[in-house]
Amino acid sequence: MITPRRLSLAPAACLAAVCLMGVAPGGAGAYSAAHSATRSGSDAVTLDPEGQLAADGTVTLSGSYRCSPLHHGRTVLVGATLIQGDVHYGVGGTVAHCDGREHSWRHTGQLPGELAAGESADPAGGEAGRTVAGRVDGEATLLKLDSGGLVPVPVLLDRDARPLVLLRDQRPSRQALP
């Protein structure tokens, strides 16, 4: 039985699971390999091949997702991650609307300064230790929280991991606006 107390713990447990998978060495890649058999044909997530990088280091990733109406009433999350070596940096996450239709998602996050994106597409080359435009690895995940026990357990529904390009965003950052 799902009590109001258990329901109130779901977002906190989900955030903890996403955070652990998002910044731990091995991150979601190791998790998804162990749980790839749980994928459903009607659940899908995509990651666009290009992301945006603002002057202040804010990164925006986007894509699309679709999840089965069978998940209606359950917590399903869409997450985005940038990857450097064995370390995954969570860019953001949202609760999915599971109605069987395709929806777009867009996540924006401030990354730690130590993420440097490989080959720089910025002619100046960017500063050492700063996020720079260029090629990086990214991952989008679609997770369902299974409430079978005391603490909800994340179940991987789909994953899209790919190389992508961070493009310098020419618009002013949100923090620069009055």
Side-chain angles (χ1 to χ4, degrees):
M1 180 170 146
I2 299 177
T3 65
R5 178 170 167 76
R6 276 192 178 179
L7 191 56
S8 69
L9 292 174
C14 176
L15 179 60
V18 170
C19 287
L20 286 173
M21 289 177 12
V23 296
Y31 181 84
S32 62
H35 292 83
S36 61
T38 63
R39 294 177 61 166
S40 167
S42 62
D43 300 317
V45 66
T46 65
L47 176 65
D48 290 341
E50 295 178 344
Q52 296 295 318
L53 174 65
D56 66 355
T58 300
V59 173
T60 301
L61 299 178
S62 58
S64 64
Y65 73 91
R66 180 184 70 245
C67 53
S68 168
L70 297 174
H71 302 305
H72 182 72
R74 297 185 178 145
T75 304
V76 176
L77 304 164
V78 180
T81 306
L82 281 182
I83 303 165
Q84 182 181 30
D86 287 339
V87 182
H88 296 198
Y89 296 95
V91 175
T94 56
V95 175
H97 179 69
C98 294
D99 59 3
R101 291 189 239 153
E102 187 170 308
H103 299 275
S104 61
W105 60 265
R106 181 178 179 92
H107 298 160
T108 300
Q110 183 73 39
L111 299 177
E114 61 267 12
L115 179 64
E119 303 168 32
S120 176
D122 179 5
E127 299 174 32
R130 292 274 307 159
T131 307
V132 295
R135 297 184 189 281
V136 295
D137 290 322
E139 180 178 75
T141 54
L142 189 64
L143 296 172
K144 174 181 73 170
L145 291 181
D146 187 358
S147 58
L150 179 61
V151 176
V153 175
V155 175
L156 183 67
L157 298 175
D158 196 24
R159 171 180 173 255
D160 184 12
R162 67 174 64 221
L164 59 100
V165 177
L166 289 181
L167 300 174
R168 179 78 53 201
D169 190 348
Q170 301 303 316
R171 296 173 290 165
S173 67
R174 289 186 285 170
Q175 286 133 352
L177 299 175

